[in-house]
Amino acid sequence: QRLRRSEELVAALKSNDPVTMLSQGVLAALHAIPMEGTHYILVDALDEAVDRTDGDSQVTIPRLLAQASEEFPPWLKLVVTTRRDGRVLPLFQHAERCFLGGAVAEQRDDVRAYVERRFAELGLDAQAGAAAADRGQAIASIAERAAGNFQYADAVLAEVRGGGQHLGELDHLPRELGSLYYRFAEKRFPERGDFHHARTVLSVLLAAREPLTRSQL
């Protein structure tokens, strides 16, 4: 409703300056809107929005959000996730921080409970054999190697469900998520030429910079 009747707001959103667009085109307008309770905007993997060439003068998403953090209305909170990145963490010196990682016992317990639940939901019990010990060993192996990383656990479970990973080989998996991705890619595309069709489609997706229809692909 405000967008329909505020020329000033529309002008701010049409600005070429990202700071003006966010501060005047979004946050200033939200201050005028009363809201019950607390609401959140979640920005995941903020460290992926910067690269090695970012200079101090370049407006990046992390820098933009850090500069505007004090301008958020009291009912709107910003929740950000990031790896331990020296280009991101210093920008949010005064933010409340919650560290999640393999060294946190509660995080490991959460991942194990998640793996156990997903194991049942995906019907992987049969692959582990009838013995409860086999099932428990498979769950323990995935949780132990995940070391608190839900994404790692999800990736392994997806491969097991798809038949690309056997439960008896779990102890041989790498412990880093990046290395895990490479391991699965090498199994799926053992020869360089095997990746040709996938590379063609992915190259088009990257070049398009916008969603493509199934017929276009």
Side-chain angles (χ1 to χ4, degrees):
Q1 291 174 345
R2 287 179 58 81
L3 281 171
R4 290 194 182 99
R5 63 174 183 259
S6 174
E7 294 183 3
E8 182 179 353
L9 192 59
V10 172
L13 289 171
K14 289 183 177 180
S15 168
N16 290 325
D17 176 28
V19 176
T20 299
M21 294 172 70
L22 179 59
S23 297
Q24 300 179 24
V26 178
L27 297 178
L30 291 178
H31 271 280
I33 300 177
M35 293 288 286
E36 295 291 334
T38 303
H39 299 260
Y40 301 89
I41 292 177
L42 172 63
V43 182
D44 189 30
L46 199 60
D47 55 292
E48 296 180 8
V50 294
D51 60 43
R52 300 181 188 279
T53 61
D54 287 343
D56 292 339
S57 61
Q58 184 174 353
V59 179
T60 62
I61 293 176
R63 197 180 305 279
L64 183 66
L65 292 176
Q67 292 174 352
S69 60
E70 299 298 324
E71 300 178 36
F72 276 64
W75 51 264
L76 183 62
K77 305 298 181 183
L78 180 65
V79 180
V80 168
T81 71
T82 178
R83 293 182 179 89
R84 286 185 165 182
D85 194 307
R87 300 163 299 174
V88 176
L89 293 178
L91 298 174
F92 298 89
Q93 297 267 355
H94 304 294
E96 180 180 350
R97 298 186 182 187
C98 176
F99 173 70
L100 299 177
V104 180
E106 293 87 348
Q107 177 80 351
R108 287 178 173 267
D109 292 341
D110 284 347
V111 170
R112 183 185 177 91
Y114 173 77
V115 172
E116 192 165 356
R117 189 181 76 245
R118 292 293 291 157
F119 211 84
E121 291 173 351
L122 297 174
L124 300 179
D125 298 65
Q127 295 189 39
D134 294 336
R135 174 178 175 275
Q137 180 59 41
I139 291 172
S141 293
I142 296 174
E144 190 269 334
R145 274 184 146 55
N149 190 320
F150 282 86
Q151 188 68 30
Y152 184 106
D154 252 345
V156 174
L157 289 168
E159 285 294 312
V160 172
R161 186 187 188 192
Q165 177 65 46
H166 298 294
L167 292 175
E169 302 172 348
L170 294 175
D171 289 338
H172 302 294
L173 291 176
R175 295 181 179 273
E176 295 293 328
L177 183 60
S179 299
L180 183 73
Y181 287 150
Y182 277 112
R183 165 73 70 87
F184 290 158
E186 288 170 355
K187 289 182 67 175
R188 189 163 297 167
F189 308 105
E191 301 295 334
R192 186 178 182 88
D194 298 336
F195 190 63
H196 174 72
H197 294 300
R199 182 185 181 91
T200 301
V201 175
L202 292 173
S203 297
V204 172
L205 286 170
L206 287 171
R209 306 293 289 272
E210 61 183 20
L212 298 174
T213 66
R214 183 177 293 272
S215 61
Q216 286 174 325
L217 289 173

